[in-house]
mmCIF file of all heavy atoms in Angstrom:
data_model
loop_
_atom_site.group_PDB
_atom_site.id
_atom_site.type_symbol
_atom_site.label_atom_id
_atom_site.label_comp_id
_atom_site.label_asym_id
_atom_site.label_seq_id
_atom_site.Cartn_x
_atom_site.Cartn_y
_atom_site.Cartn_z
ATOM 1 N N SER A 17 -10.928 -12.393 1.361
ATOM 2 C CA SER A 17 -9.848 -11.697 0.675
ATOM 3 C C SER A 17 -10.311 -10.509 -0.112
ATOM 4 O O SER A 17 -11.479 -10.415 -0.456
ATOM 5 C CB SER A 17 -9.131 -12.696 -0.296
ATOM 6 O OG SER A 17 -8.574 -13.772 0.422
ATOM 7 N N LEU A 18 -9.371 -9.633 -0.378
ATOM 8 C CA LEU A 18 -9.644 -8.403 -1.118
ATOM 9 C C LEU A 18 -8.355 -7.988 -1.809
ATOM 10 O O LEU A 18 -7.275 -8.144 -1.200
ATOM 11 C CB LEU A 18 -10.161 -7.304 -0.187
ATOM 12 C CG LEU A 18 -11.059 -6.198 -0.716
ATOM 13 C CD1 LEU A 18 -12.325 -6.756 -1.368
ATOM 14 C CD2 LEU A 18 -11.362 -5.219 0.439
ATOM 15 N N THR A 19 -8.478 -7.450 -2.955
ATOM 16 C CA THR A 19 -7.290 -6.915 -3.651
ATOM 17 C C THR A 19 -7.472 -5.417 -3.922
ATOM 18 O O THR A 19 -8.491 -5.010 -4.530
ATOM 19 C CB THR A 19 -7.045 -7.633 -4.992
ATOM 20 O OG1 THR A 19 -6.905 -9.003 -4.792
ATOM 21 C CG2 THR A 19 -5.793 -7.113 -5.701
ATOM 22 N N LEU A 20 -6.520 -4.663 -3.472
ATOM 23 C CA LEU A 20 -6.480 -3.231 -3.768
ATOM 24 C C LEU A 20 -5.533 -3.018 -4.954
ATOM 25 O O LEU A 20 -4.550 -3.662 -5.108
ATOM 26 C CB LEU A 20 -5.956 -2.466 -2.567
ATOM 27 C CG LEU A 20 -6.714 -2.615 -1.293
ATOM 28 C CD1 LEU A 20 -6.114 -1.721 -0.215
ATOM 29 C CD2 LEU A 20 -8.202 -2.294 -1.430
ATOM 30 N N SER A 21 -5.941 -2.055 -5.827
ATOM 31 C CA SER A 21 -5.109 -1.684 -6.999
ATOM 32 C C SER A 21 -4.817 -0.195 -6.889
ATOM 33 O O SER A 21 -5.590 0.597 -6.386
ATOM 34 C CB SER A 21 -5.835 -1.982 -8.262
ATOM 35 O OG SER A 21 -6.168 -3.329 -8.370
ATOM 36 N N CYS A 22 -3.672 0.195 -7.457
ATOM 37 C CA CYS A 22 -3.243 1.569 -7.505
ATOM 38 C C CYS A 22 -2.719 1.834 -8.909
ATOM 39 O O CYS A 22 -1.703 1.225 -9.318
ATOM 40 C CB CYS A 22 -2.232 1.866 -6.456
ATOM 41 S SG CYS A 22 -1.587 3.568 -6.529
ATOM 42 N N ALA A 23 -3.348 2.742 -9.622
ATOM 43 C CA ALA A 23 -2.798 3.146 -10.921
ATOM 44 C C ALA A 23 -1.998 4.411 -10.778
ATOM 45 O O ALA A 23 -2.481 5.390 -10.193
ATOM 46 C CB ALA A 23 -4.024 3.415 -11.867
ATOM 47 N N ALA A 24 -0.784 4.351 -11.284
ATOM 48 C CA ALA A 24 0.190 5.433 -11.081
ATOM 49 C C ALA A 24 0.535 6.092 -12.407
ATOM 50 O O ALA A 24 0.614 5.460 -13.462
ATOM 51 C CB ALA A 24 1.432 4.960 -10.442
ATOM 52 N N SER A 25 0.753 7.388 -12.392
ATOM 53 C CA SER A 25 1.246 8.085 -13.583
ATOM 54 C C SER A 25 1.932 9.394 -13.095
ATOM 55 O O SER A 25 1.867 9.813 -11.980
ATOM 56 C CB SER A 25 -0.010 8.480 -14.412
ATOM 57 O OG SER A 25 -0.897 9.314 -13.783
ATOM 58 N N GLY A 26 2.673 9.956 -14.088
ATOM 59 C CA GLY A 26 3.354 11.200 -13.791
ATOM 60 C C GLY A 26 4.763 11.128 -13.252
ATOM 61 O O GLY A 26 5.386 12.144 -12.915
ATOM 62 N N PHE A 27 5.303 9.871 -13.181
ATOM 63 C CA PHE A 27 6.703 9.781 -12.718
ATOM 64 C C PHE A 27 7.289 8.469 -13.304
ATOM 65 O O PHE A 27 6.519 7.680 -13.844
ATOM 66 C CB PHE A 27 6.719 9.693 -11.158
ATOM 67 C CG PHE A 27 5.979 8.583 -10.545
ATOM 68 C CD1 PHE A 27 6.596 7.389 -10.118
ATOM 69 C CD2 PHE A 27 4.603 8.711 -10.301
ATOM 70 C CE1 PHE A 27 5.872 6.353 -9.527
ATOM 71 C CE2 PHE A 27 3.860 7.695 -9.668
ATOM 72 C CZ PHE A 27 4.493 6.512 -9.308
ATOM 73 N N THR A 28 8.617 8.335 -13.210
ATOM 74 C CA THR A 28 9.294 7.148 -13.775
ATOM 75 C C THR A 28 9.079 6.033 -12.735
ATOM 76 O O THR A 28 9.815 5.986 -11.766
ATOM 77 C CB THR A 28 10.762 7.459 -14.019
ATOM 78 O OG1 THR A 28 10.913 8.584 -14.872
ATOM 79 C CG2 THR A 28 11.403 6.247 -14.687
ATOM 80 N N PHE A 29 8.190 5.162 -13.036
ATOM 81 C CA PHE A 29 7.737 4.123 -12.100
ATOM 82 C C PHE A 29 8.931 3.333 -11.541
ATOM 83 O O PHE A 29 8.992 3.056 -10.368
ATOM 84 C CB PHE A 29 6.765 3.213 -12.830
ATOM 85 C CG PHE A 29 5.884 2.382 -11.927
ATOM 86 C CD1 PHE A 29 4.842 2.967 -11.190
ATOM 87 C CD2 PHE A 29 6.053 1.049 -11.844
ATOM 88 C CE1 PHE A 29 4.047 2.208 -10.406
ATOM 89 C CE2 PHE A 29 5.258 0.282 -11.023
ATOM 90 C CZ PHE A 29 4.230 0.880 -10.290
ATOM 91 N N ASP A 30 9.864 2.979 -12.401
ATOM 92 C CA ASP A 30 11.015 2.114 -11.969
ATOM 93 C C ASP A 30 11.883 2.750 -10.939
ATOM 94 O O ASP A 30 12.666 2.085 -10.295
ATOM 95 C CB ASP A 30 11.843 1.686 -13.190
ATOM 96 C CG ASP A 30 11.058 0.789 -14.154
ATOM 97 O OD1 ASP A 30 9.886 0.638 -13.976
ATOM 98 O OD2 ASP A 30 11.699 0.242 -15.073
ATOM 99 N N ASP A 31 11.874 4.067 -10.881
ATOM 100 C CA ASP A 31 12.790 4.801 -10.041
ATOM 101 C C ASP A 31 12.167 5.204 -8.697
ATOM 102 O O ASP A 31 12.809 5.961 -7.938
ATOM 103 C CB ASP A 31 13.327 6.030 -10.752
ATOM 104 C CG ASP A 31 14.148 5.724 -11.937
ATOM 105 O OD1 ASP A 31 14.685 4.602 -12.002
ATOM 106 O OD2 ASP A 31 14.250 6.586 -12.865
#
Side-chain angles (χ1 to χ4, degrees):
S17 299
L18 204 60
T19 300
L20 303 182
S21 300
C22 176
S25 61
F27 59 98
T28 304
F29 199 73
D30 293 10
D31 294 339

